[in-house]
Amino acid sequence: MVGRSSFLIVANRLPVDRNVEQDGTASWRRSPGGLVTAIAPVMQRRHGAWLGWHGAADEELEPFEQDGMSLIPVPLSATEVELYYEGFSNATLWPLYHDVVAPPIFERPMWETYRAVNERFANAAAEAAEEGAVVWVQDYQLQLVPAMLRKLRPDLRIGFFLHIPFPPVELFWRLPWRRELVEGLLGADLVGFQLPGGAANFRRLCRRLLGVPYKGNEIFLEDRVVTTQAFPISVDFGELDSMVREPQVISRAKEIRMELGDPEHVLLGVDRLDYTKGIGQRLEAFGELLKEGRIGPGEAVFVQIATPSRERVDEYRRLRDDIELQVGRINGENSVLGNQPIQYFHQSYGKQELAALYLAADVMLVTPLRDGMNLVAKEYVSCHHDLHGALVLSEFAGAADELRQSFLVNPYDVEDVKRQMLTAMRATPHELARRMRTMRRRVATYDVDRWASEFLTALETPASAPATSHSASWRSG
Ligand code: ADQ
């Protein structure tokens, strides 16, 4: 049994994946991803613990140690995975928070299971935290946890970070359980968002729904103050920057270009297969450019990597069929013997292979219809110390706030995407270097370490006193 901790991460998933060998022996491997990398040093320094589901339904596991981190598995039944995770988290909240680009499903059993699972996470966190501990809750699957936890353990310092956008009041208003969700978040001392716009949406919502006043970043409850602030997440710039200088990654990048038939332009898309990512829109733009002859036969190859994602949710199954049909159609109409303009892969890749792909790509296409941040855009920039490469980036990705020197597009405007794709392909090396240099400076400075440390510093800095003069009418707890 793991002792109580002074620093706790509470997230839907533990930062490890189970690896089962052919002989049946199982071991845990740290999952890839910036969040773990950024938080691991803090965890080690503070004897932290991470609470989350371990990925297998209907299985209870004891806490265990891995890579100097204490991991506390929270069990989920198969029905809970269906209703809390695939249901309320990914079929209700995900589309609602992403501009309703797909219709959200509002079903009471999903909500009730979401609440029950959040309660289980809050109870587990209350048990695991030592007196006065810092608890950092992650993302939309656990928005009720802050208030539930505060009720059980008012001594804790509770932070929450939302990785996806926070929608405008008008959209959020549709949610039948809007009040409970907002009250859940207000249980935190600090609520972090990717962008200032998300934080502003949340403050306005609190005022309209609960009548609580705010000033600047602070929301004044009757008995305490909640700080709301933007902390744009980032990537491990240093790790990627040195990876693409390794000889084997450089030669793999060259090999990739050769395998693609050494075209003049390699275009790349890397996404989870999700309807928010605008994969169909960029394929359409590329297909039209081919059809109109503005991209010649063999001139460009577009590599689209789509990681399998949420495959049991209906909307995702339909999306996969649509994309694969679209790829087939464009290739069918535009291929010549020995050359297919779109290379599509429905697979996951290791870090090094992904870095080699980024390095090999002349044009990176990141065209989400809405995205909290989008790490792929920042990963691409981190991989181009050669100052070569163009980033075509949607105005609707959080990353567009920082990467102003990208080729910005409105993904809903197919002519705009086509125009910017061509502009990116035809830009001079001097122009590309000028843009890339500025973007790299930004990502190198605001990397994922800085994100985590700025959040934790803000969390541990007490906010203003709850001033009665602000006449709050709503009491937390
Ligand atoms: P995601 O929606 O998952 O994250 P994103 O930010 O692009 O989106 O991160 C995807 C990650 O998966 C990247 O690190 C990428 O390298 C990796 N990846 C994608 N395809 C892969 C493949 N085929 N093989 C291996 N790795 C692959 C959510 C929000 C985002 C926000 C992040 C972090 O939706 O807006 O940026 O959280 O807060």
Side-chain angles (χ1 to χ4, degrees):
M1 178 68 203
V2 182
R4 290 191 163 203
S5 301
S6 62
F7 180 69
L8 263 189
I9 297 287
V10 184
N12 173 58
R13 277 300 308 268
L14 284 178
V16 287
D17 297 311
R18 191 165 16 201
N19 185 41
V20 182
E21 304 291 339
Q22 279 191 333
D23 63 3
T25 50
S27 59
W28 295 97
R29 248 196 249 148
R30 190 192 279 199
S31 17
L35 187 62
V36 202
T37 319
I39 289 169
V42 194
M43 299 276 279
Q44 283 147 5
R45 258 198 320 275
R46 304 194 191 193
H47 307 293
W50 188 306
L51 236 130
W53 181 45
H54 51 280
D58 294 315
E59 183 190 40
E60 298 219 10
L61 289 181
E62 286 300 310
F64 59 100
E65 295 274 333
Q66 175 79 25
D67 283 348
M69 297 186 285
S70 300
L71 304 181
I72 307 176
V74 179
L76 291 181
S77 70
T79 312
E80 285 166 345
V81 174
E82 188 190 330
L83 297 177
Y84 144 80
Y85 178 70
E86 292 161 358
F88 200 76
S89 299
N90 288 322
T92 307
L93 294 173
W94 179 269
L96 182 69
Y97 283 30
H98 286 89
D99 280 1
V100 288
V101 293
I105 294 170
F106 299 119
E107 282 185 12
R108 280 163 288 183
M110 289 182 179
W111 159 250
E112 277 144 25
T113 312
Y114 181 84
R115 190 166 50 196
V117 169
N118 272 244
E119 190 98 55
R120 183 174 314 144
F121 273 83
N123 287 334
E127 288 236 324
E130 74 179 40
E131 181 71 20
V134 168
V135 181
W136 188 0
V137 184
Q138 307 285 331
D139 227 359
Y140 62 103
Q141 302 93 349
L142 300 174
Q143 291 175 92
L144 304 177
V145 168
M148 290 171 167
L149 184 56
R150 178 168 298 281
K151 211 166 176 183
L152 295 164
R153 293 289 306 274
D155 58 296
L156 301 176
R157 191 99 192 131
I158 305 171
F160 179 92
F161 184 78
L162 184 71
H163 290 258
I164 66 175
F166 195 84
V169 175
E170 293 69 23
L171 287 186
F172 190 87
W173 210 253
R174 295 186 193 184
L175 189 70
W177 309 279
R178 61 198 183 200
R179 195 179 167 101
E180 288 94 324
L181 264 189
V182 174
E183 287 178 357
L185 290 171
L186 284 174
D189 296 291
L190 173 65
V191 187
F193 299 88
Q194 300 277 22
L195 300 183
N201 285 345
F202 179 68
R203 289 189 295 265
R204 275 197 290 272
L205 179 66
C206 289
R207 185 171 61 191
R208 190 148 150 212
L209 197 60
L210 305 172
V212 290
Y214 66 84
K215 191 166 178 225
N217 280 338
E218 297 182 328
I219 301 178
F220 298 92
L221 308 183
E222 206 173 278
D223 49 348
R224 53 193 191 85
V225 173
V226 179
T227 305
T228 55
Q229 203 178 316
F231 300 91
I233 200 168
S234 193
V235 296
D236 190 340
F237 179 90
E239 187 195 24
L240 288 164
D241 182 51
S242 41
M243 199 181 283
V244 289
R245 295 172 199 260
E246 288 168 16
Q248 67 271 32
V249 175
I250 297 170
S251 61
R252 178 64 192 137
K254 287 195 185 124
E255 200 174 85
I256 289 170
R257 290 192 72 101
M258 293 310 291
E259 284 169 3
L260 293 173
D262 200 19
E264 204 176 319
H265 305 281
V266 173
L267 284 67
L268 176 67
V270 174
D271 313 79
R272 260 188 321 99
L273 188 48
D274 193 295
Y275 51 80
T276 60
K277 301 290 183 185
I279 301 170
Q281 280 73 4
R282 82 182 72 125
L283 287 172
E284 186 184 351
F286 184 68
E288 286 191 13
L289 288 173
L290 291 171
K291 199 166 186 173
E292 292 160 8
R294 291 158 84 188
I295 294 179
E299 185 187 347
V301 172
F302 176 8
V303 179
Q304 176 62 55
I305 290 168
T307 324
S309 180
R310 303 173 192 170
E311 295 189 294
R312 285 163 32 140
V313 180
D314 285 345
E315 200 72 44
Y316 287 77
R317 268 200 290 254
R318 274 196 293 277
L319 173 77
R320 180 173 176 190
D321 289 346
D322 290 350
I323 296 291
E324 293 181 357
L325 198 69
Q326 199 182 0
V327 169
R329 188 170 297 149
I330 298 172
N331 274 341
E333 287 171 358
N334 298 286
S335 294
V336 288
L337 268 180
N339 177 277
Q340 282 210 333
I342 302 175
Q343 301 275 328
Y344 168 82
F345 303 90
H346 185 248
Q347 291 163 30
S348 272
Y349 291 90
K351 270 187 186 178
Q352 287 213 340
E353 179 72 0
L354 218 48
L357 278 158
Y358 287 140
L359 186 59
D362 305 297
V363 180
M364 184 80 215
L365 300 170
V366 180
T367 57
L369 304 174
R370 179 61 73 191
D371 214 331
M373 178 54 59
N374 195 294
L375 297 178
V376 168
K378 291 185 174 182
E379 287 166 3
Y380 181 70
V381 167
S382 307
C383 288
H384 277 279
H385 64 88
D386 57 4
L387 303 184
H388 174 75
L391 174 64
V392 174
L393 179 61
S394 163
E395 293 164 350
F396 298 97
D401 268 27
E402 293 168 85
L403 305 178
R404 305 304 301 170
Q405 295 71 26
S406 57
F407 294 86
L408 288 171
V409 293
N410 172 2
Y412 292 96
D413 179 352
V414 65
E415 288 303 330
D416 189 33
V417 180
K418 286 160 68 181
R419 198 166 39 241
Q420 290 292 62
M421 273 164 92
L422 285 181
T423 313
M425 284 165 64
R426 312 254 147 91
T428 63
H430 176 75
E431 169 72 3
L432 293 178
R434 184 184 66 75
R435 290 172 182 257
M436 188 57 87
R437 194 176 292 117
T438 316
M439 293 194 289
R440 283 175 62 78
R441 213 174 289 137
R442 171 76 202 184
V443 182
T445 315
Y446 288 88
D447 66 355
V448 71
D449 271 342
R450 178 137 176 197
W451 169 78
S453 63
E454 286 192 354
F455 185 93
L456 289 171
T457 307
L459 179 56
E460 290 171 297
T461 311
S464 327
T468 41
S469 61
H470 291 286
S471 65
S473 56
W474 187 82
R475 204 184 160 79
S476 69

